[in-house]
Amino acid sequence: MKYHFNEIEAKWRKYWEENQTFKAENQSDKPKYYVLDMFPYPSGAGLHVGHPLGYIASDIYARYKRHKGFNVLHPMGYDSFGLPAEQYAIQTGQHPAITTETNINRYREQLDRIGFSFDWSREVRTSNPDYYKWTQWIFTELFHSWYNKDTDKAEPIESLITRFTNEGNGPVNAVCDENVMLFTSEMWNAYDEEQQQKILLQYRLTYLAETEVNWCPALGTVLANDEIVNGVSERGGHPVVRKKMKQWSMRITAYAQRLLDGLNQIDWPQPLKDSQTNWIGKSVGASVKFQVSGFKFQVEVFTTRPDTIFGASFMTLAPEHELVEKITTAEQKEAVEAYIEQTAKRSERERMADVKTISGVFTGGYAEHPFSKEPIPIWIGDYVLASYGTGAVMAVPCGDERDYAFAKHFNIPIPNIFDQDISENAFTEKEEFKIVNSDFLNGLGYKEAIKKAIEALEKIGQGSGKINYRLRDAVFSRQRYWGEPFPVYYVNGLPKTIDPEHLPIQLPEVEKYLPTEDGQPPLGRADVWAWDAEKCTVVSNELADNETIFPLELNTMPGWAGSSWYLFRYMDANNNEEFARQEALDYWQNVDLYIGGSEHATGHLLYSRFWTKFLYDRGFLKVNEPFKKLINQGMILGESAFVYRLNSKQIKNPIYFSKNFIDKVVADKKSFTEYDEYERIRETLFQENRNQKGIFNFSTDFETSWQNFTAIHSHVSFVNISNELDLGAFKSWKPEFKGAHFITENNGTFKVGREVEKMSKSKYNVVNPDDICDQYGADTLRMYEMFLGPLEQAKPWNMAGITGVHSFLKKFWKLYCDDNGLVVTDSSASKDSLKTLHKTIKKVEEDIENFSFNTSVSTFMIAVNELTAQKCSSREVLEPLAILISPYAPHIAEELWSKLGHSESISTAPFPQFDASHLVESTKEYPISFNGKMRFTLEMPLDLSKEDIEKTVMAHEKTQQYLEGRTPKKVIVVPGKIVNIVG
RNA sequence: GCCUUGGUGGCGGAAUUGGUAGACGCGCUGGAUUCAAAAUCCUGUGUCCUCGGACGUGUGGGUUCGAUUCCCACCCAAGGUACCA
């Protein structure tokens, strides 16, 4: 009986589906374990071999946990809102829902072939109204919440209204907009409804605000920073302007400190935690207010170095700073305006990229030093960012490199307040200095001076200690069609949410998926998109009457909305009453193991933590972190293949050269004409181009440099393992290659160049897992992907090693079956076979716990090699071995398990128990080294004493031979490990 | 620049608390089987060499009886971040 992987795999796929083998129950006596993959966006290109890497790893872990007696939740779904489907819709008019459905079906087929143990009954799709109903619900909960700094958590907005009614906003310690006016309870109660709503909007956890965006009028859309190149849109090259737009924002900054603190209690990779820490960017310092000379107002700055306040010799404001206009003097007006205009033209990205150029303009205005009362000139400069801190800095040139450079450039004085040399550079250290020339701070060090400076500032009411975060509130509006609609309508321009019982608000139909001509988002094209507040339904726009029927929000939510809470929906995926039942939430709690790419470090993984903490605050969840343990799987890269075309205008048909040939010419630094092949090629070209005399200059084109060639992607499927191109297939691939010339090696082969790149359709380097399954089977694919290397590491895909893994599975099969069927017997196993088995149990168990799946595959290979050599056919060994391998190669394991006479699936068979007694050795092959170099080994009993080991070794003839008559200075004996003779 | 991770044969990669560097697989060498091929099996395979040995885990130091592993300095690569006051 041969190993027919195709039949076996199809059979078990069907079995698992029919028997719902992997359906998880929400009640169980078993302990729970929740294993989750980052769900994919179903793109039109389908899965490539890189996608399943993490899914295979998590599947191995999930299956292992089932063997270990856990009730495992291992679901899968789709992050199905997104841009590609919308762009396809713009081009073709096909509804994104249809594109998405098609892509999902394709993904599902591909996923099914790999034999994952997903519980598909819990599938979620973020674009499904039954799902986004709850995304909308969470949005309304955020809208109806505020952040109380005293209790350090989100609370229902009603508690805020109560406090406003009773005590005004003075005593309220909330996270809110910066420009909130103070009011008393009397004032609050006197405000009309509209005024009250406006104020509340400044406190809500999701709020409307004017946000600066990159607006592209030609495309009618907002662009992300990386969609802009040199100030114009990447697509189409249209101009982009910075524009303020009213957008929804999420007050994630309220959670900055808790998002930092929470990192200590979760088991995530350090680099990922670090990137979240940096992203949140906490800095501790002080806020200082400088009186502006001749005006009533002050400029507020944030500084991490209040100790250096006496070194401040000027101030710099961001060009966009709101006070610039007010303080600029008449003489400086022209220069300032010119500078502002010049910086506005540059995109934020450009501005950030160009760090070297120092630029700025004096405003003519002065501020007053809070202590010395000296006048301080106020400048503007684009090295100060409007979006960080207060958009203004107190410049201390002696202690900050940028201020130093700025002062040098504009000849501003650089007073030194350190007992250090600053003639060449600013002194930026925080240790080993004393402050001088600083009045009451003289003689102090860093820490004491900061403390004293803040105290003094507080005393005069011009500053206080402050913590500043780099993290910004998250913009939550997108001018797109294919996203969650907001459950929001507008009464007199003020937003109102739609009550949960009327959700979901479904995406309306539109004729085109483009923005409207007057710059409205695509939903502006919908005809039925108004809210009837009486009947509580969406109605035609024509009915809008400003009394009971109101316009609905035209923006949609960003991609991260649906992915921020999906982990909880899996717990009770088909619930129409709640986002998930309380018992289900209590039972599954949060994700025990999450596997996915590190590219989501500061997006999805941060937002998801934010929403979880919010839902926790409001009592919907009992956990405040979504993912307890997280593993980043490395990307599988493609090995692109290149052919090289000679750059020459004189030749009618292009010429492609085998890579090795060019290598040779370039390495020799000889002109191509000196090679014998030249005659052969020249003849061919002459025939073809005989009407073109210019051909004979061809030799001058071909010098000894790679620059004379253009690398062109070949599809990797035309290339074999030795990097040889199938010329026939290649020529018929695209018309441009048909008449081309291919200069081969002398043996007639044509070699391509290879380079590791990201897998992508446009680079023709995508390898489809279906092809591997056809050729070798899913079990081979699974094991090979794990065998490639450590899970976390990025690695190029190459097929070179797959035969090794495939023949391993064939060997494994042969342990159980020969041509006549099952060969497993009930006879007892040899000592050696039991030793092999238990060695394997121990290693595989350790490996799975450590996510070191590549080394388990080696361990299985060693085990099978040993058992084959031992001619082991004992059930006592082979039955547990099948369970050991089943997480990795589940199909073959199920097949052998059923051949062994089991009627139940192997998937919940108990994991074999490791028994150390099988590994006990009585002797050890001691390595005997001389001065640390191993020379020979010597077998000795393990219970031999240190002294006896030394005696035995010293008495050995080889020892004497290596010593050549010398007496050793010292003999190191580590029983059970090593003997080292020094001397 | 800063933060993080990594650097081991021709290749992917192993190596537990410092204790036989190169497991396992690919590739390659030679062989068996075959008319031949595929498949399968066996053998060898870090480099150099005077066949005794010498050298070998990015480079240079250090600690140690002993370092891929620990410490210091540096080089290189990948990823993140970037005028953050």
Side-chain angles (χ1 to χ4, degrees):
Chain A
M1 214 184 309
K2 284 239 166 64
Y3 169 44
H4 293 296
F5 54 85
N6 278 324
E7 284 165 34
I8 293 169
E9 292 179 358
K11 170 180 161 189
W12 289 100
R13 281 207 301 271
K14 195 162 161 239
Y15 175 93
W16 293 329
E17 201 189 332
E18 283 171 358
N19 292 277
Q20 305 239 18
T21 308
F22 306 114
K23 194 167 190 301
E25 297 302 332
N26 281 359
Q27 274 127 16
S28 172
D29 299 334
K30 296 175 175 181
K32 74 102 187 182
Y33 202 88
Y34 186 179
V35 183
L36 186 64
D37 296 288
M38 289 187 186
F39 61 169
Y41 173 76
S43 87
L47 287 178
H48 61 66
V49 289
H51 291 108
L53 182 75
Y55 306 158
I56 294 168
S58 66
D59 198 59
I60 289 170
Y61 205 79
R63 287 175 179 270
Y64 165 75
K65 282 288 183 183
R66 287 192 199 97
H67 289 303
K68 279 284 187 180
F70 285 82
N71 181 31
V72 173
L73 173 57
H74 187 38
M76 183 45 93
Y78 305 95
D79 191 12
S80 47
F81 272 133
L83 218 47
E86 177 158 336
Q87 257 147 11
Y88 190 73
I90 290 169
Q91 286 160 23
T92 63
Q94 184 173 72
H95 198 288
I98 297 169
T99 315
T100 302
E101 174 81 25
T102 310
N103 292 349
I104 285 177
N105 292 338
R106 169 104 181 88
Y107 263 61
R108 179 63 193 274
E109 263 172 47
Q110 289 187 295
L111 288 171
D112 279 349
R113 288 207 63 182
I114 304 171
F116 294 120
S117 62
F118 294 132
D119 176 356
W120 284 107
S121 72
R122 295 170 185 257
E123 181 196 295
V124 304
R125 301 178 183 190
T126 56
S127 62
N128 191 328
D130 291 341
Y131 180 87
Y132 69 65
K133 167 178 179 174
W134 300 106
T135 310
Q136 292 174 335
W137 169 78
I138 293 171
F139 174 86
T140 62
E141 286 299 329
L142 281 155
F143 184 83
H144 293 289
S145 301
W146 66 292
Y147 200 90
N148 186 342
K149 282 204 233 177
D150 291 333
T151 56
D152 204 18
K153 61 180 220 176
E155 294 181 11
I157 201 80
E158 287 74 28
S159 73
L160 184 67
I161 297 172
T162 308
R163 292 195 56 186
F164 285 172
T165 312
N166 296 331
E167 48 191 344
N169 70 349
V172 172
N173 190 13
V175 179
C176 58
D177 288 0
E178 296 218 323
N179 52 347
V180 180
M181 307 275 267
L182 269 178
F183 53 82
T184 62
S185 59
E186 291 78 20
M187 287 159 75
W188 171 261
N189 294 326
Y191 290 147
D192 63 10
E193 163 78 14
E194 199 180 311
Q195 185 66 25
Q196 289 183 344
Q197 286 304 322
K198 270 189 189 158
I199 290 166
L200 287 174
L201 200 52
Q202 298 182 304
Y203 288 82
R204 297 182 189 276
L205 283 183
T206 184
Y207 60 98
L208 274 172
E210 291 278 338
T211 314
E212 211 168 67
V213 294
N214 302 307
W215 175 253
C216 178
L219 296 173
T221 188
V222 167
L223 299 175
N225 277 339
D226 55 356
E227 291 173 305
I228 304 166
V229 181
N230 299 327
V232 296
S233 68
E234 193 184 18
R235 269 187 309 131
H238 306 290
V240 177
V241 293
R242 299 192 60 73
K243 180 181 163 185
K244 285 209 163 178
M245 282 180 71
K246 210 161 219 190
Q247 309 239 11
W248 284 100
S249 281
M250 289 278 164
R251 229 179 273 284
I252 186 173
T253 48
Y255 286 87
Q257 187 59 49
R258 284 170 63 192
L259 288 168
L260 281 178
D261 295 342
L263 291 173
N264 296 324
Q265 60 179 56
I266 49 183
D267 181 6
W268 287 18
Q270 196 55 43
L272 203 131
K273 286 191 187 185
D274 287 342
S275 73
Q276 289 211 346
T277 305
N278 294 338
W279 188 261
I280 295 167
K282 177 179 181 177
S283 15
V284 181
S287 150
V288 185
K289 288 172 184 160
F290 287 78
Q291 189 62 47
V292 180
S293 312
F295 292 96
K296 282 198 194 121
F297 51 79
Q298 297 170 322
V299 180
E300 187 182 348
V301 303
F302 173 75
T303 177
T304 53
R305 298 293 303 272
D307 55 320
T308 65
I309 190 155
F310 285 95
S313 62
F314 64 103
M315 288 181 88
T316 315
L317 309 186
E320 301 90 340
H321 198 282
E322 54 175 5
L323 293 181
V324 172
E325 203 183 325
K326 294 181 190 168
I327 60 174
T328 302
T329 56
E331 306 86 77
Q332 293 300 104
K333 195 164 189 266
E334 202 179 321
V336 166
E337 278 174 2
Y339 184 72
I340 292 172
E341 202 191 318
Q342 180 200 320
T343 49
K345 263 195 226 150
R346 302 211 295 164
S347 71
E348 195 154 308
R349 175 169 277 227
E350 254 180 293
R351 233 168 99 174
M352 284 190 281
D354 179 19
V355 185
K356 276 159 264 158
T357 321
I358 296 163
S359 71
V361 173
F362 179 44
T363 60
Y366 287 85
E368 185 186 272
H369 193 281
F371 299 115
S372 72
K373 306 294 177 194
E374 296 280 331
I376 296 174
I378 304 176
W379 287 65
I380 59 172
D382 68 1
Y383 78 97
V384 178
L385 305 177
S387 56
Y388 183 77
T390 61
V393 300
M394 66 173 209
V396 181
C398 65
D400 182 283
E401 275 166 31
R402 288 154 309 165
D403 295 343
Y404 189 90
F406 195 89
K408 273 260 152 107
H409 190 260
F410 290 109
N411 282 319
I412 305 170
I414 304 178
N416 190 0
I417 53 144
F418 301 114
D419 57 347
Q420 303 286 329
D421 174 40
I422 58 150
S423 55
E424 293 298 324
N425 287 299
F427 178 75
T428 56
E429 309 290 313
K430 290 174 183 169
E431 272 156 28
E432 289 175 27
F433 71 88
K434 290 276 178 286
I435 286 176
V436 296
N437 300 328
S438 296
D439 194 359
F440 59 90
L441 296 177
N442 283 343
L444 297 179
Y446 174 70
K447 276 191 181 162
E448 315 88 81
I450 285 185
K451 196 167 160 252
K452 211 157 178 190
I454 292 174
E455 278 170 13
L457 284 165
E458 280 172 351
K459 217 167 168 183
I460 59 170
Q462 280 191 258
S464 57
K466 191 180 172 183
I467 293 166
N468 202 47
Y469 296 93
R470 197 189 84 107
L471 183 71
R472 304 260 64 83
D473 277 347
V475 177
F476 199 66
S477 296
R478 295 292 183 274
Q479 294 71 43
R480 311 276 191 207
Y481 176 76
W482 193 230
E484 298 87 347
F486 284 82
V488 167
Y489 60 97
Y490 290 89
V491 178
N492 295 328
L494 279 173
K496 286 204 177 297
T497 58
I498 291 163
D499 289 341
E501 61 263 35
H502 309 306
L503 300 180
I505 301 301
Q506 299 213 24
L507 262 177
E509 292 306 316
V510 293
E511 237 177 89
K512 277 203 265 178
Y513 301 95
L514 281 169
T516 64
E517 277 72 31
D518 53 354
Q520 299 271 34
L523 293 193
R525 292 181 183 273
D527 298 324
V528 183
W529 198 237
W531 182 249
D532 185 329
E534 279 189 340
K535 294 192 185 127
C536 295
T537 55
V538 177
V539 297
S540 168
N541 300 356
E542 290 165 14
L543 301 173
D545 59 7
N546 286 327
E547 278 170 33
T548 57
I549 298 175
F550 306 100
L552 279 157
E553 168 72 53
L554 300 181
N555 287 293
T556 54
M557 299 186 195
W560 58 268
S563 61
S564 290
W565 71 281
Y566 76 115
L567 67 147
F568 299 113
R569 184 62 177 172
Y570 281 132
M571 295 175 184
D572 192 14
N574 303 304
N575 193 330
N576 276 323
E577 308 304 317
E578 296 166 274
F579 77 100
R581 243 188 0 268
Q582 197 60 53
E583 307 89 80
L585 291 167
D586 289 351
Y587 179 72
W588 294 112
Q589 296 182 55
N590 52 11
V591 176
D592 294 288
L593 173 66
Y594 196 33
I595 295 190
S598 57
E599 66 273 19
H600 298 106
T602 52
H604 160 60
L605 288 173
L606 198 60
Y607 297 130
S608 180
R609 294 182 61 216
F610 160 43
W611 279 25
T612 302
K613 287 182 191 303
F614 166 73
L615 292 169
Y616 166 83
D617 284 355
R618 292 293 318 278
F620 299 112
L621 295 177
K622 292 213 170 65
V623 292
N624 62 19
E625 285 289 344
F627 313 111
K628 275 202 271 233
K629 182 175 176 68
L630 187 142
I631 302 264
N632 287 130
Q633 95 273 20
M635 206 187 319
I636 289 194
L637 302 161
E639 269 200 327
S640 301
F642 293 96
V643 296
Y644 301 92
R645 190 182 62 206
L646 179 66
N647 301 332
S648 172
K649 291 187 197 82
Q650 298 161 2
I651 298 160
K652 196 165 126 202
N653 288 317
I655 314 174
Y656 295 87
F657 285 82
S658 176
K659 165 150 191 294
N660 289 18
F661 187 61
I662 311 174
D663 277 341
K664 192 167 68 179
V665 180
V666 172
D668 288 356
K669 293 220 184 293
K670 277 197 281 185
S671 168
F672 172 63
T673 50
E674 292 176 42
Y675 287 82
D676 296 342
E677 288 89 340
Y678 174 67
E679 277 308 314
R680 171 163 64 97
I681 296 159
R682 201 182 65 110
E683 194 52 42
T684 318
L685 294 172
F686 180 68
Q687 297 282 325
E688 181 182 303
N689 297 278
R690 55 182 168 277
N691 299 329
Q692 294 183 31
K693 294 212 168 121
I695 184 63
F696 293 105
N697 294 330
F698 158 59
S699 65
T700 58
D701 285 355
F702 195 107
E703 290 305 325
T704 53
S705 162
W706 276 100
Q707 286 177 359
N708 293 320
F709 296 89
T710 305
I712 291 166
H713 280 99
S714 159
H715 201 290
V716 287
S717 62
F718 304 142
V719 179
N720 70 11
I721 284 172
S722 315
N723 292 337
E724 291 161 10
L725 186 69
D726 179 343
L727 277 175
F730 184 73
K731 282 185 193 171
S732 49
W733 182 34
K734 287 182 178 177
E736 64 205 85
F737 303 134
K738 197 143 247 150
H741 296 283
F742 291 85
I743 310 304
T744 61
E745 307 293 312
N746 286 334
N747 64 6
T749 60
F750 188 94
K751 299 255 188 185
V752 297
R754 305 223 82 158
E755 219 168 284
V756 173
E757 297 181 292
K758 235 171 136 163
M759 270 199 191
S760 98
K761 222 175 164 181
S762 61
K763 294 185 176 117
Y764 301 109
N765 60 359
V766 170
V767 182
N768 187 333
D770 294 351
D771 298 340
I772 315 282
C773 289
D774 288 340
Q775 212 179 335
Y776 300 100
D779 286 337
T780 298
L781 174 72
R782 291 170 64 109
M783 289 201 105
Y784 184 58
E785 291 222 2
M786 292 300 103
F787 190 56
L788 274 176
L791 180 63
E792 296 92 333
Q793 207 172 292
K795 49 214 162 240
W797 176 264
N798 76 55
M799 296 283 286
I802 199 163
T803 52
V805 173
H806 189 61
S807 54
F808 154 74
L809 281 174
K810 285 195 273 192
K811 268 192 242 169
F812 173 71
W813 177 265
K814 277 195 197 158
L815 274 179
Y816 295 76
C817 300
D818 68 8
D819 292 346
N820 304 313
L822 197 71
V823 295
V824 177
T825 62
D826 287 332
S827 60
S828 60
S830 73
K831 245 183 138 176
D832 280 346
S833 297
L834 284 170
K835 188 177 157 191
T836 298
L837 172 69
H838 284 272
K839 202 170 69 178
T840 308
I841 296 172
K842 182 166 188 280
K843 180 78 168 107
V844 169
E845 186 162 357
E846 281 169 3
D847 283 347
I848 296 179
E849 298 281 1
N850 294 323
F851 301 92
S852 176
F853 302 116
N854 54 327
T855 50
S856 304
V857 180
S858 305
T859 305
F860 285 126
M861 288 173 170
I862 295 167
V864 167
N865 288 344
E866 287 181 2
L867 293 173
T868 306
Q870 294 156 10
K871 301 204 170 19
C872 174
S873 63
S874 167
R875 175 181 290 268
E876 194 186 353
V877 167
L878 295 179
E879 215 171 79
L881 186 67
I883 302 172
L884 279 184
I885 208 168
S886 95
Y888 292 83
H891 308 88
I892 194 172
E894 287 276 23
E895 180 68 17
L896 293 171
W897 189 248
S898 86
K899 281 198 190 308
L900 287 165
H902 297 275
S903 54
E904 295 279 294
S905 160
I906 195 172
S907 61
T908 50
F911 201 78
Q913 197 71 43
F914 168 63
D915 181 351
S917 67
H918 294 291
L919 302 192
V920 171
E921 299 269 6
S922 58
T923 63
K924 156 90 185 168
E925 280 273 319
Y926 276 93
I928 312 301
S929 41
F930 291 77
N931 297 320
K933 279 267 169 219
M934 206 280 286
R935 293 302 175 188
F936 64 95
T937 60
L938 191 56
E939 187 166 341
M940 285 178 278
L942 266 169
D943 53 8
L944 209 61
S945 74
K946 235 178 161 172
E947 291 72 28
D948 289 339
I949 292 173
E950 182 171 342
K951 257 188 230 159
T952 315
V953 171
M954 292 314 292
H956 199 272
E957 52 174 284
K958 278 194 178 166
T959 309
Q960 294 311 317
Q961 184 190 318
Y962 278 103
L963 278 173
E964 290 168 334
R966 288 171 311 212
T967 319
K969 284 193 199 121
K970 214 199 258 180
V971 179
I972 311 277
V973 177
V974 185
K977 286 251 152 95
I978 199 171
V979 177
N980 189 20
I981 299 162
V982 187

